[in-house]
Amino acid sequence: MRVGAHESIAGGVANAVDRQLEDGGNCGQIFTHSPQVWQNPNIDGDDAAAFRDQTAENDVGPWVIHSSYLVNLCTPKDDLREKSIDSMQREVEAAALLDIPYVNVHLGAHTGAGEKQGLDNAVSALDELDVPDGVTVLVESDAGSGTKMGGEFEHLGYVLEESEQDLEICLDTAHAFAAGYDLSTAAGVDETIEELDAAVGLERLACVHLNDSKHECGTNKDEHAHVGEGLIGEAGMRAFVNHAAIDGVPLVLETPNEDGKGFAWNIQRVRELREE
C-alpha cells in the first residue's frame, strides 16, 4: 500500500523525503512554494537532484505537487485566468524537474458565470498548458461550496471528456463527503465509488486525498479530521481503504496536526485499518 502525507519543503525540497520517511510514509505531496501567494517555484538543480536521488533510493513515491490555492481555472476574469495558467505551467515544469508524475489542481469557482461556462473555462485553460512528458494534471474533487466547481463527480467527468489533455483525477474523501457523497458506511462507500466510476471512470483515479471530515455529509464545509475520528468515521474509512477499487491507488493524507496526533499517527492508523 502506498500511503503518505503532504510534507513541507522548508529548507529544500529534498527535506520532504526525509520528513516522509520519519512519518512512515512511502508516497506524498508537496507545495513548491507558499500556496497563499502568487509565487514561482524556486528549486535549484542540486536540490532537485537530491530530491530525485533520495526518492529513488528510499522507494518513496509517487509524489504529487499541489498547485497554489489562488489558481482558478473556472474564472471568467481574464487577469486571474492568465495568472492561473502561468502558475500551472510553472508547476508542471517543476514536476518534470523533480520527476514527479502528478500536479493536482482544484477547478476553482465560476463566480457567477454559470456552471457550464465555468467548466468550459477550466477546459480551455487546461488546454493551454504545455504539459511535459511524464507529467499528468490531476483535477481534484471539491467540497462544492458557493460557486466552486468539482463538488459533483459529473463536473470532473465533463472536464476530462472535453479537454485535449490526458487528465486524471484526485478524489478527496473529506471533500466528497462534504459535497454529499456518504462515505460513512460500507454501503455508502460502494455507492460513491459506483457513482465515481459512472461519471469519470475508475481507470482515471490516480490519487486519493484520504481525510476524515469534521462536518456532516452534504454541508459543503471543508475541514479535515484525523482518520477514523471524524464524521466519516472508522467504519467508513475502513471500508474505503479496503475497497478493491482503491487497491494500488496512492493515499495522501492532509490530516491536521492537533490533539497530539500528526501525520505519523494517521499513516499508522491507515495501515491498521487496511490490515483489519
Side-chain angles (χ1 to χ4, degrees):
M1 179 172 59
R2 290 285 157 175
V3 57
H6 183 120
E7 299 289 0
S8 167
I9 66 165
V13 68
N15 290 339
V17 184
D18 294 332
R19 294 183 177 109
Q20 195 66 257
L21 294 170
E22 289 171 6
D23 285 330
N26 57 10
C27 68
Q29 181 174 266
I30 59 170
F31 291 123
T32 61
H33 56 84
S34 169
Q36 310 285 1
V37 296
W38 293 113
Q39 183 178 339
N40 294 330
N42 184 21
I43 302 168
D44 66 41
D46 289 343
D47 194 21
F51 176 88
R52 294 193 302 266
D53 290 346
Q54 291 182 40
T55 290
E57 289 169 7
N58 293 284
D59 188 27
V60 178
W63 285 95
V64 181
I65 289 176
H66 195 301
S67 65
S68 168
Y69 292 144
L70 300 181
V71 168
N72 186 348
L73 302 176
C74 290
T75 182
K77 300 175 183 177
D78 290 341
D79 58 340
L80 179 54
R81 172 188 170 86
E82 291 308 313
K83 285 183 178 179
S84 298
I85 293 170
D86 179 67
S87 179
M88 283 297 295
Q89 184 62 45
R90 295 180 184 276
E91 298 289 20
V92 296
E93 291 168 358
L97 175 65
L98 295 167
D99 281 350
I100 289 179
Y102 301 121
V103 174
N104 181 74
V105 65
H106 296 267
L107 290 175
H110 66 72
T111 62
E115 288 191 8
K116 175 67 161 57
Q117 186 60 56
L119 293 174
D120 286 339
N121 290 346
V123 169
S124 63
L126 288 164
D127 285 352
E128 287 199 28
L129 298 178
D130 182 11
V131 181
D133 290 342
V135 177
T136 300
V137 174
L138 306 183
V139 182
E140 182 179 344
S141 65
D142 200 271
S145 61
T147 66
K148 288 183 178 179
M149 305 303 293
E152 298 176 24
F153 294 159
E154 287 77 12
H155 295 168
L156 309 180
Y158 181 88
V159 171
L160 267 62
E161 180 67 24
E162 296 297 319
S163 175
E164 297 172 0
Q165 303 282 7
D166 187 15
L167 305 170
E168 296 185 320
I169 69 161
C170 173
L171 174 68
D172 187 305
T173 53
H175 295 174
F177 188 71
Y181 296 95
D182 189 359
L183 293 166
S184 64
T185 66
V189 169
D190 285 341
E191 183 177 348
T192 297
I193 289 176
E194 287 173 7
E195 290 187 47
L196 182 66
D197 190 26
V200 180
L202 292 176
E203 71 279 1
R204 309 292 285 274
L205 176 61
C207 180
V208 167
H209 285 169
L210 190 70
N211 304 300
D212 211 323
S213 174
K214 291 186 178 181
H215 300 282
E216 296 280 357
C217 182
T219 58
N220 303 121
K221 293 182 178 179
D222 176 17
E223 193 173 3
H224 300 174
H226 295 304
V227 171
E229 299 201 345
L231 291 168
I232 295 176
E234 184 175 313
M237 281 290 171
R238 180 186 295 109
F240 185 86
V241 300
N242 287 289
H243 198 285
I246 306 303
D247 192 34
V249 178
L251 309 175
V252 176
L253 302 172
E254 300 171 320
T255 46
N257 184 6
E258 59 189 18
D259 305 323
K261 299 168 184 174
F263 287 144
W265 184 93
N266 282 278
I267 289 170
Q268 180 59 31
R269 187 69 186 113
V270 173
R271 295 191 189 283
E272 290 169 355
L273 290 174
R274 183 64 175 263
E275 294 167 0
E276 289 177 0

